[in-house]
Amino acid sequence: MNINDNVLQNNEKIIYALRELYASRGYSRYAMSKFEEYDLYAKNKDFLVSDNVITFTDTNGKLMALKPDVTISIAKNTRDIPEGVRRIYYSETVYRVSKSTDSFREIMQTGVECLGDVGTEEMVGVIELAAESLSLLSDSYAIDLSTVAPAGPDGDEPFREVLARLKKGPYADRFRVNPALSGDENYYSGIVFKGYLAGIPEAVLSGGRYDRLMRKLGRSSKAAGFAVYTDRLERLDIAAKKDGPADADWINIALPKGRLGEQVYAIFAAAGYECPALLEPGRKLLFENPARKVRYFWVKPSDVAIYVERGAADVGVCGKDILLEAEPDVYELADLGAGKCRMAIAGPKTYADDAETTLRVATKFPNIAKTYYRSKGRAIDVIKLNGSIEIAPLLGLSDVICDIVETGKTLRENDLEVKEEIAAISARFIANKSAYTFKTDAICRMAEAVGTTGR
Ligand code: PRP
C-alpha cells in the first residue's frame, strides 16, 4: 500500500519521519495502552507536570486514568535490563491540562527511551538523536543543555564528559549550555535538554536522564530519553525547511503602553535602540527602525508577557507584579529600575487580623495573594477585582487588600495602611525562550544595555 503524501497532515508526516528515523537507528516500537491504574499517578505525583489527571471507573470497578505521561508507564512496565541497553520509541497521546487554556488537552508525543546500563556513550547517542530529529524538521534548530540535581554517585552524569563528546560530534554547533534551563527537577536527575526551532515560540523537544524516576518505580536500570511535542509543530512549514524566519536578525520588542512605556522607551533609545517614529502623535501601535533592526509594539502592560511567551515579541518589558501573577514561561534577564513600587497587604488602620476567621482579600492579583498566604498557612477567600481595590475594605467587601503601593497616597487618602510587604516591584526585561536561543548575542547585548547594571 502506498500512501499519498498529500493526504497526511503536517504533524502526521513529522511523526512518520521520526518513527522511520528511530527504527533505522535500532530503536524498536513500544506500543502501550491509553490507560493506567490511577494509583500509579497518585503514588508518583511528584513526577507529573500537573496533578490533574482524567479518571474513570473501569468495568471491574478499578479507578483508571487517561495517561498524562508516557515515561512513567515505560519505567513501570519494562523489565530491568541487567546488561547492555534496550532502545525503544513510541508515538502516543497524553492528556494534560494546558496552562494557557486551563483545560485538558490531547498532546501528541513521539519519543525514545534508552534503558539499562546508560553511560556517557548512550547519553551522547540519545542527545545526538534528538539533534538529528530536529534536523529533519528545520535547518534552524538548537539544543540547550543543562544539568539538574544529580541522582547520587550512581546516576551522577559526567556532564562535562558528555558535553566534550557532543562538541566533537556531527551536531557540535547546535548545542549550547544554558544554566537557566529549568528541567523538571522531580523528574530528571542529571542532564536535561530542550530543543528549539526558529520561529516556534516554545521548546518542541524535551528530554533528560531519569534514573531517580526508575528507582522510585523499583527499577535498577538507568534511563534517558526525550519526546518531540508534535502538536507544537502543526504550523511548521517543512517544505520551507531551508529558509529560517525572514527577520532572523531583527528584534521584536513589546512595550507597555502608557507612562511606564514612555519611560522604558527612553531607556532603550538612550541605549542605542532608538525608533524616532514611535514618538510621533497618532494611534499607530507598531513601529520599526530598519537601521537598528528593531520593531516596537505598544501593548497593554498586562499583555506584554503573553506576547513574549507566545513569541509574537522576542523581548518585552513588564512589571515584576505581572511576572509574579501570571508566571509566564519566559526568561527574566534584567531589571530596568523604572516603575519602582511594592506589592503589599494593606488594610484599615483599625483592622487586626483574627486567625480564627477566613481572611477576605480583595485584589487584582489573586495568584500572588494565594501564594503568599499559602506560604503562611493562612486560609483566605480571594475576591478578584479589576481596579479601585482600596474601596473594598471601606465597604466591608474584604478585610484587607493585596495591591501595588507606589507613593502610598491612595492608601493614605482612604485611611488604609500597609500591613505586610510581599515583594519589591519594578520593570523587568523579559525574553521568549526560543528567541533567546536563536538570538542570544543580540538579546543579551540589549538586556545588558537597558538593565540597571549596564547603565
Ligand atoms: C494602582 C494601585 C493603587 C495605586 C497605588 O492603581 O492599584 O490603587 O496605583 O499608587 P499610590 O501608592 O501612588 O497611590 P492604578 O492607578 O493602576 O488604578 P486602578 O485602581 O484602576 O487599578
Side-chain angles (χ1 to χ4, degrees), residues 339-344 403-408 411 418 421-425:
K340 278 193 180 160
C341 53
R342 298 169 287 161
M343 180 64 65
D403 200 14
I404 281 171
V405 181
E406 195 179 343
T407 59
L411 291 185
V418 169
E421 285 196 9
I422 298 182
I425 306 294

Side-chain angles (χ1 to χ4, degrees), residues 265-319:
Y265 169 67
I267 296 175
F268 276 72
Y273 301 100
E274 70 278 7
C275 181
L278 200 123
L279 298 174
E280 288 164 12
R283 298 259 168 130
K284 237 180 109 165
L285 299 171
L286 205 148
F287 303 88
E288 23 182 78
N289 180 356
R292 293 271 176 266
K293 299 230 161 109
V294 285
R295 190 178 290 120
Y296 285 97
F297 337 123
W298 287 123
V299 303
K300 217 173 142 56
S302 52
D303 291 342
V304 168
I306 300 171
Y307 281 83
V308 174
E309 182 178 37
R310 297 198 166 227
D314 298 317
V315 299
V317 174
C318 75

Side-chain angles (χ1 to χ4, degrees), residues 384-405:
K384 162 88 169 76
L385 297 176
N386 297 301
S388 304
I389 315 293
E390 289 82 357
I391 207 164
L394 305 183
L395 300 177
L397 177 62
S398 75
D399 301 313
V400 293
I401 63 171
C402 169
D403 200 14
I404 281 171
V405 181

Side-chain angles (χ1 to χ4, degrees), residues 81-365:
I81 324 284
E83 272 173 32
V85 291
R86 179 170 176 211
R87 293 185 171 87
I88 55 182
Y89 75 87
Y90 62 84
S91 210
E92 296 289 334
T93 305
V94 295
Y95 301 84
R96 287 181 186 168
V97 173
S98 139
K99 195 186 147 209
S100 53
T101 60
D102 203 22
S103 56
F104 276 101
R105 281 189 56 203
E106 278 188 85
I107 298 173
M108 279 188 278
Q109 292 189 347
T110 298
V112 307
E113 312 287 359
C114 179
L115 308 148
D117 190 12
V118 180
T120 304
E121 183 77 32
E122 289 74 20
M123 208 56 223
V124 169
V126 166
I127 300 172
E128 285 188 336
L129 188 58
E132 195 175 358
S133 304
L134 297 187
S135 76
L136 296 181
L137 309 176
S138 167
D139 284 344
S140 307
Y141 66 94
I143 293 196
D144 280 10
L145 298 146
S146 184
T147 176
V148 297
D154 262 8
D156 195 350
E157 249 16 291
F159 185 50
R160 279 169 216 290
E161 211 177 295
V162 169
L163 210 59
R165 289 277 306 272
L166 291 173
K167 289 286 180 195
K168 285 192 199 125
Y171 303 97
D173 57 339
R174 304 297 179 151
F175 298 114
R176 211 182 52 143
V177 176
N178 177 4
L181 192 74
S182 59
D184 305 302
E185 278 83 0
N186 288 325
Y187 205 109
Y188 295 116
S189 43
I191 291 188
V192 288
F193 51 95
K194 280 199 160 77
Y196 294 93
L197 301 183
I200 300 210
E202 325 159 87
V204 298
L205 179 150
S206 174
R209 178 110 189 199
Y210 55 94
D211 297 351
R212 188 180 325 149
L213 171 64
M214 294 293 278
R215 277 206 301 277
K216 174 93 195 289
L217 290 166
R219 296 276 162 274
S220 60
S221 302
K222 295 170 184 165
F226 64 81
V228 180
Y229 300 113
T230 43
D231 56 322
R232 293 183 184 172
L233 300 170
E234 231 172 17
R235 289 163 208 272
L236 180 73
D237 184 359
I238 335 180
K241 176 167 158 7
K242 300 273 169 221
D243 313 321
D247 61 352
D249 52 351
W250 279 67
I251 303 252
N252 296 312
I253 309 163
L255 291 186
K257 223 171 9 177
R259 206 168 51 84
L260 176 65
E262 283 159 26
Q263 233 178 308
V264 165
Y265 169 67
I267 296 175
F268 276 72
Y273 301 100
E274 70 278 7
C275 181
L278 200 123
L279 298 174
E280 288 164 12
R283 298 259 168 130
K284 237 180 109 165
L285 299 171
L286 205 148
F287 303 88
E288 23 182 78
N289 180 356
R292 293 271 176 266
K293 299 230 161 109
V294 285
R295 190 178 290 120
Y296 285 97
F297 337 123
W298 287 123
V299 303
K300 217 173 142 56
S302 52
D303 291 342
V304 168
I306 300 171
Y307 281 83
V308 174
E309 182 178 37
R310 297 198 166 227
D314 298 317
V315 299
V317 174
C318 75
K320 180 71 179 174
D321 51 333
I322 290 157
L323 298 179
L324 291 171
E325 178 61 22
E327 298 178 6
D329 190 17
V330 296
Y331 294 128
E332 182 185 325
L333 300 177
D335 185 346
L336 274 71
K340 278 193 180 160
C341 53
R342 298 169 287 161
M343 180 64 65
I345 303 294
K349 290 182 178 148
T350 50
Y351 178 75
D353 190 7
D354 172 5
E356 309 228 321
T357 58
T358 304
L359 187 69
R360 295 170 308 157
V361 186
T363 185
K364 274 189 285 190
F365 306 95

